[in-house]
Amino acid sequence: MMVTGYIQTHNLSRVYDGQTWALNNVNLTIEEGDWVSIIGPSGSGKTTLLNMIGCLDKPTEGSVVINGITVNTLNQRQLTQFRREQIGLIFQQHYLIPYLTALENVLIAMYYHSSVNEKKAIEVLAKVGIEHQRQLNNKPSKLSGGEQQRVCIARALINEPKILVADEPTGNLDQKNGQVVMDLIHNLYEVGHTILLVTHNMDIAKQGNQILQIVDGKVWSSN
Amino acid sequence: MFFRILRKSLSRQKGKVLISMIAIIMGASIPSAMLNVSLDINEKIGAEFRKFGANLLVVPKSDTIEIGIGDISLSSVKDQQYINESDIYKIKTINWSKNVFGYAPFLYQVVSAKAKTNGEEQQVVLTGTWFEKNISLEEGEIFTTGVRKINSWWWNVEGEWIEDIETISDTIYCMIGKSVAEKLSLNLGDEIEVTYRETVQETTKNLTVVGIITSGGSEDNHIFVPLLVAQSLTNRENRVHTVQVSALCIGCPIETIADEIETKISYIEAKTILQMTNAEMNVLEKIQMMLALITIIALLATILGVSTTLTTSVLERRTEIGLMKSIGAEDRKIGALFFAESSIIGLLGGFFGFLIGIVGAQFVGILVFDSLVTPQVIVLPIVLGISLLVSLLASLVPVKRAMGIEPMIVLRGL
Ligand SMILES: Nc1ncnc2c1ncn2[C@@H]1O[C@H](COP(=O)(O)OP(=O)(O)OP(=O)(O)O)[C@@H](O)[C@H]1O
Ligand SMILES: [Mg+2]
């Protein structure tokens, strides 16, 4: 096959407000099953890159191709659908819907994707260590930061995405909880998920098989 | 799952839900009141029209006497003018006289009535009329007429009908309306003292209650006595205010009968009930138009208020909305959630607005028509429909905003 690379970007740029070049002519190739760690100073464009690959935002110039599909040509609806099918998102702050329980926060992703299967949701939550009835039925405000982030991971995994995009998933966690989350991500890598992970922690970054450094919107690859 | 999200999302923002709901309640209570009033009044006029024995009302020309149907009275007494009792027989002398089934004269006076049994006192309309009077017509024929003849089939009488009298004796019998009986706590056989006060003079008569009338109309508020009694109490010998005429009119020219009566008694006007109904309808229409205008303004205000509240709520929830989108919610699912939220607010608000509107309708009813308004069940679905529409219109802008929220705001950590 001619096309190599599971995820590719071609001359990808993102300009905010016509002046801030958050990404500047980025060309990347990521293979299926890779773990790509993204490092770089604050404001360098890491989140912007994840937005592009995570199909949350569209490039100003250039293109993003995932699994042979040029995603920036999709319309809003197709993009939503593509994201739902292919990508699991884990955010820096563990965003959960405040009025739903841990279990429901996972169920809602199933609901938007296809149909709700409570048994499966409980299984996936058990995999990330949320298994007590009390934890399942607690609202996010009654869960610890680590527990919240684990619920987010369960939510990202529930629809079995191929690609996992994580923006500083341990950024708000203490050492111990961070370790739990990283172990989970490591497991996912081992079972074949493609992982893009932004981090400030060099030790974490080194667990990946590729490290991208971003400075002022430009990407420097280093293996 | 949708309803689970909906329920939790609503109970989470109780404050905003309450504010929007109150706005809808206020907005919905106005059409509810309006519709209750107008439907009820229409129904009453219609019902009176159907059951009213009389279909012609004879009044002095340039009449300003209170005319009304049932318990709806829209004009009041200013200048008293009378019809001579001695002229009334002429009604039976017209060419169409065979169609004149019966008639009854009425003389009204507000008096103070005091129940002898318990001393309670009230201002009440005393009405003198014929009950079942035999009249000699010109050909020597005897014609029986009076309220008993024209109205008996829709007046429900407990006790006895009274009879007309030729001379006033010590014991005067009367019939009283149900409301009078309730207000003065009167029973059959009780005595009332009625007093008519003119500037200096005061006339008093004792009446014995022999019948209690339930008509569902203004009669319920009257005391009925033989015409002679009313005339002598108020010093108006030979005088009456109005005559109700019942013309049997299957395809007969009621207008012609009215015209004929007017030529026979030159100083009167004969109005068909249809005319009066139209006149009242006009007033009613004006009131309805005003209410409709108020309703529209109120509803616009409601839309604006609810819209603002919902927009604030969307702004406060934009991370949540972005999050839903980023985990795969399509715009229409976000839209559906917000529309469903406001529909529930709309329907609940509409229901309570309907109830409050019923209370409001009573005020309008008492103020304008001097009558309580029977709640109309049909108004409920209409008001619910209006509130639903209002809440959906109010959510157009906020929902559009919600749908326009970019999923990436979540990753940016706003
Ligand atoms: N929506 C936006 N509108 C305007 N400018 C933006 C927007 N999002 C990001 N930027 C700008 O683009 C640049 C890159 O931002 P980005 O969020 O990608 O940085 P980052 O590498 O993720 O930083 P951090 O490590 O602090 O999260 C910054 O200068 C930022 O101010
Ligand atoms: Mg960032």
Side-chain angles (χ1 to χ4, degrees):
Chain A
M1 225 167 49
M2 277 310 293
V3 182
T4 62
Y6 186 58
I7 301 170
Q8 287 180 309
T9 69
H10 302 285
N11 305 326
L12 178 66
S13 297
R14 178 64 166 101
V15 186
Y16 290 115
D17 310 324
Q19 50 186 17
T20 313
W21 286 73
L23 287 179
N24 193 347
N25 208 21
V26 174
N27 290 288
L28 283 180
T29 301
I30 298 166
E31 298 300 335
E32 190 164 7
D34 273 359
W35 170 337
V36 179
S37 298
I38 301 164
I39 55 171
S42 180
S44 56
K46 303 184 295 295
T47 298
T48 307
L49 180 63
L50 287 195
N51 278 345
M52 297 297 144
I53 293 170
C55 300
L56 290 163
D57 193 12
K58 285 188 174 189
T60 314
E61 275 168 32
S63 61
V64 177
V65 181
I66 300 176
N67 202 11
I69 296 167
T70 311
V71 293
N72 51 291
T73 59
L74 300 178
N75 68 26
Q76 201 59 49
R77 228 187 118 177
Q78 293 167 320
L79 204 65
T80 303
Q81 192 186 347
F82 186 86
R83 184 169 63 235
R84 206 160 60 202
E85 308 281 329
Q86 306 285 336
I87 295 163
L89 297 164
I90 303 166
F91 311 116
Q92 176 167 14
Q93 278 155 17
H94 13 268
Y95 285 113
L96 292 168
I97 294 175
Y99 50 83
L100 298 182
T101 64
L103 177 60
E104 286 165 342
N105 263 288
V106 175
L107 291 176
I108 195 173
M110 290 179 110
Y111 161 70
Y112 289 140
H113 180 263
S114 48
S115 61
V116 171
N117 178 344
E118 205 162 311
K119 195 164 153 268
K120 187 181 166 196
I122 291 172
E123 272 171 29
V124 174
L125 278 160
K127 268 192 215 160
V128 300
I130 306 287
E131 45 200 341
H132 295 298
Q133 202 61 34
R134 180 192 57 80
Q135 290 172 309
L136 290 174
N137 292 328
N138 267 352
K139 302 246 169 85
S141 57
K142 287 189 178 165
L143 294 172
S144 76
E147 285 170 331
Q148 288 183 46
Q149 192 60 294
R150 280 185 273 157
V151 174
C152 287
I153 293 171
R155 182 181 64 196
L157 294 177
I158 193 70
N159 297 318
E160 296 166 2
K162 297 231 175 62
I163 304 166
L164 209 67
V165 171
D167 196 351
E168 295 185 55
T170 57
N172 278 335
L173 300 181
D174 60 26
Q175 174 80 37
K176 187 169 150 277
N177 275 307
Q179 192 54 51
V180 173
V181 167
M182 281 322 300
D183 288 348
L184 279 168
I185 290 174
H186 216 101
N187 291 343
L188 294 169
Y189 173 55
E190 266 157 18
V191 298
H193 284 85
T194 306
I195 291 167
L196 274 87
L197 177 106
V198 168
T199 181
H200 281 122
N201 184 326
M202 223 27 224
D203 291 337
I204 289 176
K206 277 182 190 150
Q207 297 179 37
N209 62 337
Q210 198 185 144
I211 296 178
L212 298 179
Q213 188 169 11
I214 303 192
V215 180
D216 284 341
K218 289 199 181 287
V219 172
W220 312 91
S221 189
S222 59
N223 284 16
Chain B
M1 189 70 203
F2 179 73
F3 292 101
R4 210 152 151 185
I5 302 170
L6 182 61
R7 184 166 47 86
K8 297 217 167 177
S9 149
L10 278 174
S11 61
R12 145 100 168 175
Q13 15 157 19
K14 287 197 191 82
K16 289 230 165 44
V17 168
L18 205 70
I19 291 172
S20 313
M21 195 124 81
I22 288 170
I24 300 258
I25 290 174
M26 293 196 299
S29 63
I30 289 174
S32 164
M34 183 202 87
L35 289 169
N36 270 306
V37 168
S38 49
L39 285 181
D40 181 60
I41 300 296
N42 274 336
E43 193 168 83
K44 273 190 182 144
I45 288 181
E48 294 299 337
F49 187 47
R50 265 178 277 115
K51 72 185 179 184
F52 210 51
N55 44 13
L56 276 176
L57 185 69
V58 176
V59 293
K61 258 188 199 148
S62 75
D63 158 68
T64 46
I65 287 167
E66 186 161 19
I67 50 163
I69 301 181
D71 48 4
I72 305 139
S73 48
L74 297 158
S75 62
S76 55
V77 183
K78 283 182 201 145
D79 182 23
Q80 307 247 345
Q81 288 197 28
Y82 305 98
I83 302 168
N84 292 327
E85 189 185 356
S86 50
D87 286 332
I88 298 174
Y89 78 94
K90 291 180 183 162
I91 293 171
K92 196 60 185 171
T93 65
I94 60 168
N95 291 333
W96 289 90
S97 67
K98 284 210 169 54
N99 291 67
V100 175
F101 169 70
Y103 47 87
F106 291 91
L107 180 67
Y108 305 102
Q109 181 58 54
V110 177
V111 297
S112 69
K114 187 170 167 186
K116 288 255 178 139
T117 38
N118 52 27
E120 280 187 49
E121 196 162 357
Q122 287 261 349
Q123 297 288 106
V124 181
V125 178
L126 182 88
T127 302
T129 187
W130 295 346
F131 291 85
E132 203 166 25
K133 195 171 175 86
N134 293 321
I135 295 168
S136 321
L137 300 178
E138 280 169 335
E139 307 92 50
E141 217 181 301
I142 300 287
F143 178 60
T144 312
T145 188
V147 277
R148 188 159 182 186
K149 188 162 180 189
I150 63 173
N151 284 341
S152 62
W153 55 285
W154 62 278
W155 282 14
N156 187 354
V157 175
E158 182 195 335
E160 303 283 323
W161 282 85
I162 49 175
E163 290 178 358
D164 295 292
I165 49 172
E166 300 302 321
T167 51
I168 296 178
S169 58
D170 289 345
T171 326
I172 305 170
Y173 295 120
C174 73
M175 295 172 88
I176 58 173
K178 186 175 138 253
S179 310
V180 177
E182 279 165 8
K183 277 188 210 150
L184 295 174
S185 323
L186 287 167
N187 291 312
L188 293 175
D190 287 349
E191 279 197 22
I192 338 170
E193 183 185 272
V194 292
T195 308
Y196 168 63
R197 290 187 185 88
E198 249 176 329
T199 31
V200 281
Q201 208 179 339
E202 196 175 278
T203 326
T204 296
K205 284 197 166 30
N206 286 332
L207 309 174
T208 308
V209 178
V210 296
I212 296 174
I213 300 164
T214 310
S215 76
S218 60
E219 294 81 5
D220 290 355
N221 297 311
H222 292 203
I223 296 178
F224 287 88
V225 292
L227 182 60
L228 188 63
V229 175
Q231 285 170 338
S232 91
L233 182 75
T234 64
N235 297 315
R236 294 190 186 107
E237 269 72 52
N238 194 30
R239 305 217 135 148
V240 304
H241 281 123
T242 63
V243 182
Q244 287 181 10
V245 181
S246 171
L248 286 181
C249 263
I250 300 159
C252 85
I254 183 99
E255 305 293 341
T256 316
I257 294 179
D259 286 348
E260 267 202 87
I261 295 173
E262 282 178 358
T263 37
K264 283 278 176 193
I265 314 171
S266 59
Y267 60 93
I268 59 94
E269 248 179 297
K271 299 185 178 185
T272 65
I273 298 292
L274 206 59
Q275 282 169 344
M276 297 193 302
T277 310
N278 283 342
E280 289 178 349
M281 287 297 195
N282 282 341
V283 175
L284 200 65
E285 255 166 38
K286 280 189 189 127
I287 294 172
Q288 279 174 348
M289 247 161 67
M290 207 180 72
L291 287 174
L293 204 72
I294 297 174
T295 305
I296 289 170
I297 293 169
L299 291 181
L300 284 179
T302 305
I303 291 178
L304 222 69
V306 174
S307 193
T308 313
T309 315
L310 292 181
T311 305
T312 319
S313 153
V314 164
L315 286 180
E316 279 173 9
R317 293 168 70 181
R318 68 185 187 284
T319 349
E320 176 196 326
I321 296 164
L323 176 64
M324 284 177 170
K325 286 188 174 188
S326 71
I327 60 173
E330 281 164 0
D331 281 358
R332 63 191 170 89
K333 287 207 171 161
I334 303 282
L337 177 65
F338 277 85
F339 275 130
E341 283 185 16
S342 51
S343 300
I344 287 177
I345 295 172
L347 288 176
L348 280 176
F351 180 73
F352 290 113
F354 168 72
L355 296 182
I356 291 178
I358 289 175
V359 178
Q362 306 311 320
F363 285 105
V364 178
I366 289 169
L367 262 165
V368 183
F369 301 105
D370 201 17
S371 141
L372 283 179
V373 170
T374 320
Q376 306 283 313
V377 181
I378 179 77
V379 175
L380 179 61
I382 299 175
V383 169
L384 289 183
I386 292 175
S387 325
L388 190 61
L389 192 72
V390 162
S391 59
L392 291 182
L393 284 177
S395 41
L396 279 183
V397 173
V399 166
K400 211 166 162 258
R401 281 208 167 202
M403 302 218 285
I405 287 173
E406 303 268 350
M408 61 169 243
I409 70 161
V410 187
L411 270 187
R412 279 188 56 217
L414 278 174

